[in-house]
Amino acid sequence: MRRSRLTSQLMATTLPLAVLVGAGYAIADPMLARNMSTYGMPGGIDTPTAETLPEGTLGATISKSDYALRTNVVFQALPQLTAALRYSRVEGISDFRDDGFIYDRSFDLRYQVVDQDGWRPAVSVGVQDFLGTGVYSGEYIVATRDITPRIRASLGLGWGTLAGKPRVIDGTDEGGTANVENWFTGGAKPFASVSMQVNDKLSVTAEYSNDVYRSSYRLRNGGLNTFQQGDKEPGNLNFGANYEFGRNYEVGAYVIGGETVGAQFTVALNPRESAYPSGLEKAPAPVRPRPARDADPEGWSGQWAQDPTARPAIQKALADALVDEGQLLESMALSPTRAEVRIRNQRYVQQAQAIGRTARLMTRALPPSVETFVITSSADGVPASSVTLRRSDVERLENTEAGQIAAASALSDAPLRQGDLTMTEDLFPRLRWRVGPYLDLGLFDPEEPLRYEVGAEARASYEITPGLVLTGAIRQRAFGDKEQRGPGIPASENDGVRGDHYTAEEYLADPSLETTPEGVPRVRSDTRMYSGNTSPVIPELTLAWFARPTEQVYSRVTVGLLEQAYGGVSAEVLWKPANSPLAFGAEVNRVRKRDFDGLLDFRDYEVTTGHVSAYYEFSQGFTAQLDVGQYLAGDKGATVTLTREFENGWRVGAFATKTDLSAEEFGEGSFDKGITLSIPISWATGTPTRDRASTTIRSLSRDGGARLEVNDRLYDKVRDSQTVKLYQGWGSFWR
């Protein structure tokens, strides 16, 4: 079978990742967890195990006892690598905090070194709370093995908190560093757990834990405070029970040391297990085989092309059919043997599904002499790639696996020429609008776990010509607890573990507060000043121009109110060949800070910010990105991002930014880092749509490493219909 350029490129692309991370993909399925610990990782109650979750699982747990309220987000990034982000309310510090608790953020990693095989147990190594303040800091090596099909036992060796020897939290340190020098130091102690699966729903656990729920905090004035995280130090034996209900949920209850009762709720979602695996979209139109030559001699000969009314009629019929499939036919070129269409996918997560449905409709709309189909995918009016198919292959391979039509296809850069293409009548200018509710969440604030605002939003988009788009929105708050408030006073000024806050009036009255005590402009730490407006606000009002100067270069220029806090001009250029996993880009912005009322006025702060970027798409849905440049506060540095996207559109990523600001200038956390999450709405509803639910969870909103949040950056728009990303979803071609 002949190999297409698309298939060859994909083989060349997937090979590097097999070298980098592929070693983990060749092993047997790892030992899967039966339940989650209070730390959000597969485990017993407080102790870890060597278990993992199904690859790609995204989960969350909430556990509550007298010692702590913990909210954990866990992600099985690779078959052996598990990561968890934790946000905890730690109790029992009334000796030096009037409210008796602190909110703490922490991050864990665990790697399963070997899986269970014969008499050999599964073995994992983990680091706990290695980037936070260190309240739960500890490391461990743990082995887990099935004793019987229902009984599973774990035995491990722990350091730090897991050895009952919590490390001193250094209040003179800004945090955010790995503190590698402390790993596996301070003496180790054993821990153990045994779990029994009573039936398909119920499991029980007993464990031996060394956690004393105690911490010490070194104040900035040199003093040392030690606090018990609860009324008393617990014993070593913990007991718990967990009950699974539905496909994704679990509730549990546990007793810690015979002293304290706690409860836990767990949800675990696997991107490969949608509630509607087949979707709820209507079935595609079947491929229509061409009639025999003697049944339609005029159609086969191409004489129809001499009729001046034929092309417009065919284009209108195809455009109308594509609208029913959620596609726009922007333009079309038609000759007796070849048809090129430029489509805009407005419905399907995978571009391959839009291309497949277009090919089906082309077999029904085009005369039989047309053998070559060229389907060009357009992103906001800019052609991004072309897939060339033979009509005979579409007819022959309709009921075969999608890999065969992929092998018979050719992917290329979309041609620049416009002369032969005819725009679809009455398509532009084009107005879209909607009015509905909005929900604005603030997650993992250092002082409040959840803040929210609810209201009504009107949003409109007016596309004047392909690539020239006017967009705007207006919001009216209804209710919520996001209130306007000035930035925090650094903890060093009041010798506490958490700063206070200026009122909005105090902040507005003192211009000197618009920089931190270290002289860093407040570009994000005063974000709360944009909250709580009771009058209407304009979150966005822009005019954007998307273009393609050459076949492999894309450009964007956006002017206006670019985001909640900044307005100005943003310009971007991207080099991205259709058949290359590598891309380079550059962006420059000249922006000014908006006034806190969210309307048309501006404040005095003005800055030029921009980055050069490199992107590389590996196999298994991994994309690496490096951005180097100047940030909103004028600091210079780099951001590294690693994102994994699954076939159904789930995206989970992590990023870290380090700039030339010192840890003291940056403040608590030392550098910027966080997790991104984007889930297609269609995964949960089954209804095809390109809408997404997205959020960024970061440890803090600091001024260092802050980027402009301009919409419609080029890379994500272009890559949907190119090489790795397109082929990853090629299984949807016939869907």
Side-chain angles (χ1 to χ4, degrees):
M1 183 171 60
R2 88 181 161 89
R3 178 178 296 165
S4 70
R5 280 182 289 168
L6 179 62
T7 306
S8 300
Q9 287 288 338
L10 261 294
M11 291 182 66
T13 301
T14 56
L15 185 58
L17 189 65
V19 175
L20 290 174
V21 299
Y25 289 93
I27 69 165
D29 291 338
M31 173 182 283
L32 299 181
R34 288 179 171 172
N35 52 266
M36 310 291 281
S37 75
T38 62
Y39 286 92
M41 284 283 207
I45 299 167
D46 280 344
T47 60
T49 63
E51 302 163 305
T52 66
L53 297 167
E55 185 188 6
T57 295
L58 179 70
T61 67
I62 300 176
S63 62
K64 176 69 172 70
S65 72
D66 289 343
Y67 297 108
L69 170 64
R70 298 185 191 134
T71 302
N72 310 282
V73 177
V74 61
F75 178 54
Q76 191 69 39
L78 293 170
Q80 297 82 36
L81 183 64
T82 315
L85 176 68
R86 184 176 307 105
Y87 184 86
S88 307
R89 171 172 162 152
V90 183
E91 306 288 349
I93 57 174
S94 57
D95 289 346
F96 62 104
R97 282 295 304 273
D98 291 339
D99 45 16
F101 63 87
I102 61 170
Y103 283 114
D104 179 74
R105 295 158 307 282
S106 52
F107 186 64
D108 299 0
L109 283 176
R110 177 192 299 175
Y111 187 81
Q112 188 186 71
V113 181
V114 294
D115 192 17
Q116 177 177 266
D117 186 13
W119 287 98
R120 183 190 71 193
V123 178
S124 291
V125 178
V127 286
Q128 182 172 291
D129 194 2
F130 70 99
L131 280 181
T133 55
V135 172
Y136 300 125
S137 174
E139 302 78 42
Y140 56 90
I141 301 172
V142 61
T144 302
R145 192 181 186 285
D146 289 323
I147 307 302
T148 73
R150 290 184 176 272
I151 299 176
R152 182 174 289 176
S154 298
L155 179 64
L157 199 61
W159 288 259
T161 294
L162 290 157
K165 300 176 181 179
R167 289 159 183 154
V168 175
I169 305 167
D170 189 355
T172 65
D173 184 11
E174 299 297 344
T177 56
N179 297 321
V180 177
E181 67 276 5
N182 293 328
W183 291 6
F184 301 96
T185 63
K189 286 186 178 181
F191 60 85
S193 67
V194 177
S195 66
M196 183 175 71
Q197 196 72 37
V198 178
N199 54 43
D200 291 343
K201 300 294 184 181
L202 178 66
S203 64
V204 294
T205 303
E207 71 175 12
Y208 180 88
S209 170
N210 299 298
D211 198 337
V212 294
Y213 284 91
R214 187 172 62 244
S215 297
S216 296
Y217 192 95
R218 192 178 306 282
L219 296 176
R220 296 178 186 271
N221 62 11
L224 183 68
N225 274 294
T226 299
F227 58 89
Q228 189 67 45
Q229 299 170 20
D231 295 335
K232 63 179 70 175
E233 185 175 311
N236 297 105
L237 295 179
N238 304 331
F239 300 93
N242 292 277
Y243 185 82
E244 180 181 341
F245 63 98
R247 296 176 57 189
N248 309 108
Y249 307 99
E250 186 179 84
V251 292
Y254 52 88
V255 178
I256 298 177
E259 301 286 347
T260 297
V261 176
Q264 180 168 304
F265 173 76
T266 301
V267 56
L269 303 175
N270 192 310
R272 294 182 174 88
E273 297 178 357
S274 170
Y276 302 94
S278 299
L280 298 179
E281 67 265 32
K282 65 179 182 179
V287 171
R288 177 176 290 171
R290 285 173 284 187
R293 290 180 181 270
D294 56 1
D296 187 6
E298 181 180 353
W300 276 97
S301 68
Q303 294 179 7
W304 57 269
Q306 300 174 12
D307 182 354
T309 65
R311 286 185 178 89
I314 292 171
Q315 183 163 349
K316 184 178 187 309
L318 182 58
D320 292 344
L322 283 169
V323 166
D324 291 338
E325 293 286 358
Q327 318 299 313
L328 288 182
L329 178 61
E330 291 186 353
S331 57
M332 182 175 179
L334 186 59
S335 72
T337 60
R338 185 178 186 274
E340 178 185 349
V341 296
R342 290 193 174 179
I343 63 164
R344 188 181 307 188
N345 174 22
Q346 301 183 113
R347 178 173 295 174
Y348 303 107
V349 171
Q350 298 297 346
Q351 187 67 21
Q353 187 171 2
I355 293 172
R357 294 207 170 201
T358 300
R360 289 174 178 271
L361 292 175
M362 291 175 74
T363 67
R364 306 177 69 82
L366 299 177
S369 64
V370 180
E371 167 65 10
T372 302
F373 292 173
V374 181
I375 302 173
T376 298
S377 298
S378 173
D380 280 328
V382 177
S385 72
S386 294
V387 172
T388 302
L389 299 157
R390 292 183 304 191
R391 183 174 185 168
S392 53
D393 288 334
V394 175
E395 295 170 336
R396 176 174 59 90
L397 300 173
E398 179 184 14
N399 296 313
T400 65
E401 62 182 16
Q404 294 193 42
I405 191 67
S409 307
L411 176 68
S412 63
D413 297 302
L416 278 175
R417 60 177 175 77
Q418 298 282 344
D420 295 338
L421 291 165
T422 302
M423 296 289 295
T424 299
E425 291 184 358
D426 302 324
L427 191 58
F428 301 100
R430 181 165 170 261
L431 175 66
R432 291 172 295 168
W433 61 275
R434 67 173 179 84
V435 177
Y438 75 87
L439 172 63
D440 189 4
L441 294 176
L443 299 174
F444 290 8
D445 186 278
E447 298 180 23
E448 299 176 44
L450 174 66
R451 293 181 292 109
Y452 69 95
E453 182 176 288
V454 177
E457 178 185 74
R459 179 172 291 272
S461 175
Y462 186 69
E463 191 166 4
I464 303 166
T465 63
L468 184 61
V469 187
L470 178 65
T471 303
I474 187 167
R475 283 182 171 183
Q476 173 61 61
R477 170 190 170 112
F479 59 89
D481 62 0
K482 275 193 165 188
E483 303 296 339
Q484 192 175 50
R485 191 166 71 176
I489 304 172
S492 58
E493 294 186 10
N494 60 14
D495 200 29
V497 296
R498 182 185 70 183
D500 296 324
H501 283 268
Y502 297 102
T503 65
E505 291 75 15
E506 290 172 334
Y507 187 69
L508 290 169
D510 189 349
S512 68
L513 299 179
E514 295 190 16
T515 59
T516 69
E518 293 77 21
V520 180
R522 292 195 183 276
V523 295
R524 291 298 186 201
S525 60
D526 61 355
T527 297
R528 292 284 296 270
M529 289 294 293
Y530 291 93
S531 303
N533 285 304
T534 57
S535 300
V537 298
I538 303 173
E540 178 187 1
L541 182 60
T542 61
L543 178 65
W545 170 241
F546 302 91
R548 193 168 65 118
T550 74
E551 285 191 351
Q552 298 179 347
V553 176
Y554 304 83
S555 63
R556 171 188 58 82
V557 178
T558 310
V559 299
L561 305 180
L562 303 174
E563 54 142 290
Q564 172 185 254
Y566 292 92
V569 181
S570 174
E572 181 186 8
V573 63
L574 176 74
W575 175 81
K576 177 66 173 74
N579 276 305
S580 173
L582 180 66
F584 294 102
E587 178 181 295
V588 62
N589 313 291
R590 182 63 179 176
V591 295
R592 192 168 183 179
K593 198 167 189 180
R594 295 179 61 186
D595 205 357
F596 299 129
D597 62 5
L599 297 177
L600 302 178
D601 294 330
F602 290 86
R603 303 184 68 78
D604 292 336
Y605 184 72
E606 193 169 355
V607 66
T608 297
T609 175
H611 292 77
V612 292
S613 304
Y615 312 83
Y616 195 86
E617 292 178 277
F618 299 97
S619 66
Q620 301 293 335
F622 285 94
T623 300
Q625 178 177 342
L626 174 65
D627 304 292
V628 180
Q630 179 166 295
Y631 297 83
L632 284 171
D635 50 328
K636 300 176 179 64
T639 300
V640 177
T641 305
L642 182 64
T643 304
R644 186 174 189 189
E645 181 165 351
F646 294 88
E647 185 178 342
N648 61 3
W650 273 50
R651 294 177 191 160
V652 181
F655 66 89
T657 300
K658 184 63 178 174
T659 73
D660 55 4
L661 289 181
S662 66
E664 291 74 20
E665 289 173 317
F666 182 88
E668 184 182 350
S670 299
F671 66 97
D672 192 32
K673 58 270 186 185
I675 293 173
T676 60
L677 173 64
S678 180
I679 298 178
I681 299 299
S682 59
W683 181 87
T685 65
T687 303
T689 175
R690 292 180 65 83
D691 292 339
R692 290 177 167 272
S694 303
T695 189
T696 297
I697 302 172
R698 56 187 355 120
S699 56
L700 294 165
S701 293
R702 292 298 188 188
D703 302 304
R707 290 194 68 177
L708 187 71
E709 296 177 357
V710 63
N711 287 330
D712 297 322
R713 286 191 165 104
L714 292 172
Y715 182 70
D716 282 334
K717 283 188 167 296
V718 169
R719 69 182 287 263
D720 270 2
S721 55
Q722 295 191 349
T723 189
V724 180
K725 177 66 167 59
L726 178 65
Y727 194 80
Q728 180 183 346
W730 204 264
S732 301
F733 184 91
W734 293 120
R735 183 171 169 178

